[in-house]
């Protein structure tokens, strides 16, 4: 190999080497690698897409862009022949599909393209993946073995955890995922907040919490894309994202299985906290595919303070 390349590889840690050094089990290493590679194909699809509506509606009744569907197809096709995935559930499908022969270890959940309404604005969007051992029914804390998200922004980055810390990789010019931030840690207290839902739809208790953050001088960071909004808190090392219970929809908007469990797994592995306002997201039993939940996720201080405001009977400092 040329002088430059051998020097380069001597110092950079790529995804496969990192997972091996972290002691991640072989089949799981291969599966995470397979999914990370699929991110390149989805990114290519985003670039080539004609951005026309597919004219289909998913089970939530939302307009679906061609990209949502094609991203889901790309993922399913890649996982179907991976040899490690028995079943696949996606935000874009009404039911679980069997994509293995039956003896494969893992069950994969996907939000193939999160933030698709932002595609035409050229803001960052992402893919969210949960990897479960066997079943998805029950608590995420019992079923999840890994999680990752891929952010399609100025760079393509991938944040993953297989239960041994949370780590960020960036896709380099050579098409390799190289380590950019290892063992990410969230500070106990941050300084940014990311607020979903309309102010007029918030409950009184949630509004009081938000007004507290505003008095404390937190900086508002909200793009409307769950992946970049969470990624900002993860990479900046602190803060809170919330999409709360709303007056008309007490379950909030975000999906427990496809969006919240993976992010809760990653944030907990980075020393943060994720609740529905009271209970840890990973302790909420999954009973149906489309299950939604309010979410408060990020630094411990902010999530615990939200809990205090939401249980107004407790004395709240601030
Ligand atoms: P998706 O594109 O997968 O349907 O997810 C959209 C979600 C999530 O990305 C974001 O946090 C939320 O919608 C934003 O909702 P609002 O438009 O109500 O702010
Ligand atoms: Mn989503
Ligand atoms: Mn989506």
């Amino acid at each position: 190999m040329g002088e430059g390349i051998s020097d380069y590889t001597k110092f950079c840690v790529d995804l496969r080497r990192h997972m091996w050094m972290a002691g991640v089990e072989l089949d799981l290493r291969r599966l995470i690698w397979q999914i990370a590679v699929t991110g390149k194909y989805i990114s290519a699809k985003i670039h080539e897409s004609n951005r026309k509506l597919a004219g289909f509606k998913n089970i939530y009744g939302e307009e679906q862009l061609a990209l949502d569907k094609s991203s889901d197809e790309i993922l399913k096709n890649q996982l179907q022949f991976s040899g490690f995935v028995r079943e696949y559930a996606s935000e874009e499908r009404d039911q679980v599909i069997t994509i293995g022969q039956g003896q494969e270890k893992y069950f994969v959940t996907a939000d193939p393209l999160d933030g698709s309404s932002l595609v035409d604005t050229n803001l960052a969007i992402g893919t969210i993946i949960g990897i479960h051992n066997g079943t998805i029914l029950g608590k995420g804390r019992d079923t999840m073995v890994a999680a990752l998200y891929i952010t399609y922004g100025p760079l393509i980055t991938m944040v993953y955890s297989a239960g041994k810390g949370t780590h960020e990789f960036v896709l380099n010019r050579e098409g390799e995922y190289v380590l950019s931030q290892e063992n990410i840690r969230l500070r106990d207290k941050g300084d940014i907040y990311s607020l979903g839902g309309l102010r007029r739809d918030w409950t009184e208790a949630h509004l009081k919490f938000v007004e507290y953050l505003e008095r404390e001088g937190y900086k508002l960071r909200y793009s409307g894309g769950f992946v970049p909004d969470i990624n900002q808190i993860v990479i900046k090392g602190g803060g809170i994202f919330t999409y709360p219970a709303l007056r008309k929809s007490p379950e909030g908007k975000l999906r427990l299985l496809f969006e919240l469990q993976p992010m809760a797994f990653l944030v907990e592995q980075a020393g943060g906290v994720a609740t529905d306002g009271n209970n840890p997201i990973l302790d909420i039993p999954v009973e149906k595919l489309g299950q939604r939940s309010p979410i408060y996720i990020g630094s411990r201080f902010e999530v615990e303070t939200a809990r205090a405001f939401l249980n107004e009977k407790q004395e709240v400092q601030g």
Side-chain angles (χ1 to χ4, degrees):
M1 274 200 286
E3 191 50 36
I5 293 178
S6 59
D7 277 355
Y8 181 67
T9 47
K10 199 163 58 185
F11 296 110
C12 85
V13 176
D14 77 319
L15 176 60
R16 281 177 291 193
R17 194 182 312 177
H18 184 271
M19 292 192 288
W20 176 75
M21 293 194 299
V24 178
E25 185 265 317
L26 178 58
D27 280 356
L28 188 52
R29 296 204 306 261
R30 289 169 162 167
L31 175 56
I32 291 172
W33 169 254
Q34 181 77 37
I35 294 169
V37 166
T38 306
K40 299 190 214 178
Y41 306 144
I42 292 175
S43 168
K45 197 73 191 168
I46 293 168
H47 292 158
E48 84 181 25
S49 80
N50 60 13
R51 294 184 184 162
K52 288 205 173 17
L53 281 177
F56 298 101
K57 285 187 184 306
N58 63 14
I59 55 174
Y60 308 101
E62 294 145 349
E63 278 303 321
Q64 216 171 354
L65 286 171
L67 266 179
D68 274 323
K69 249 179 147 29
S70 48
S71 303
D72 180 52
E73 270 307 300
I74 290 168
L75 255 177
K76 193 265 288 177
N77 292 337
Q78 282 296 317
L79 295 178
Q80 187 147 32
F81 306 114
S82 68
F84 313 114
V85 184
R86 196 179 66 252
E87 292 174 285
Y88 173 73
S90 155
E91 188 192 87
E92 306 308 328
R93 293 173 190 267
D94 305 357
Q95 54 202 352
V96 175
I97 54 171
T98 300
I99 57 171
Q101 266 85 37
Q103 80 291 347
E104 294 80 358
K105 274 186 197 162
Y106 300 115
F107 191 130
V108 171
T109 66
D111 180 352
L113 200 64
D114 175 85
S116 50
S117 63
L118 301 173
V119 168
D120 53 353
T121 67
N122 199 31
L123 279 171
I125 54 181
T127 295
I128 308 171
I129 299 287
I131 302 176
H132 300 249
N133 228 341
T135 177
I136 51 170
L137 296 177
K139 297 176 183 177
R141 204 174 298 287
D142 301 333
T143 63
M144 294 195 81
V145 292
L148 66 92
Y149 62 82
I150 298 169
T151 308
Y152 309 104
L155 295 173
I156 293 179
T157 57
M158 195 271 294
V159 171
Y160 98 95
S161 177
K164 300 171 190 287
T166 294
H167 319 282
E168 183 200 42
F169 290 76
V170 61
L171 193 65
N172 69 11
R173 281 187 311 278
E174 288 71 33
E176 293 162 333
Y177 280 101
V178 290
L179 184 64
S180 42
Q181 208 170 329
E182 190 174 36
N183 294 318
I184 293 170
R185 301 303 291 172
L186 266 65
R187 297 186 307 278
D188 263 355
K189 192 171 186 296
D191 57 9
I192 57 179
Y193 65 143
S194 197
L195 304 172
L198 296 180
R199 207 173 187 91
R200 68 176 182 218
D201 295 339
W202 293 343
T203 61
E204 207 41 51
H206 180 76
L207 184 58
K208 284 201 170 61
F209 169 59
V210 170
E211 287 166 348
Y212 165 75
L213 295 177
E214 285 164 347
R215 284 198 303 277
E216 292 293 304
Y218 281 71
K219 288 176 285 184
L220 181 58
R221 295 287 186 269
Y222 188 76
S223 76
F226 188 43
V227 170
D229 288 343
I230 291 287
N231 190 55
Q232 178 155 200
I233 288 168
V234 167
I235 300 304
K236 292 293 184 190
I240 184 167
F241 173 98
T242 169
Y243 206 112
L246 304 174
R247 291 182 193 283
K248 289 191 292 299
S249 37
E251 293 311 306
K253 173 180 183 182
L254 298 179
R255 292 86 170 182
L256 177 61
L257 194 55
F258 302 115
E259 295 164 315
L260 304 185
Q261 281 190 337
M263 293 309 195
F265 187 93
L266 290 161
V267 163
E268 282 197 5
Q269 282 289 318
V273 182
T275 72
D276 63 359
N278 278 306
N279 310 304
I281 290 293
L282 294 180
D283 294 338
I284 300 172
V286 168
E287 278 136 11
K288 57 185 176 39
L289 280 186
Q291 195 170 333
R292 297 172 194 257
S293 167
I295 175 84
Y296 292 77
I297 181 169
S299 294
R300 183 170 301 282
F301 172 80
E302 286 86 344
V303 175
E304 294 306 324
T305 303
R307 186 202 306 259
F309 273 92
L310 294 174
N311 298 288
E312 70 282 351
K313 54 185 176 301
Q314 291 171 17
E315 187 50 37
V316 176
Q317 310 305 329

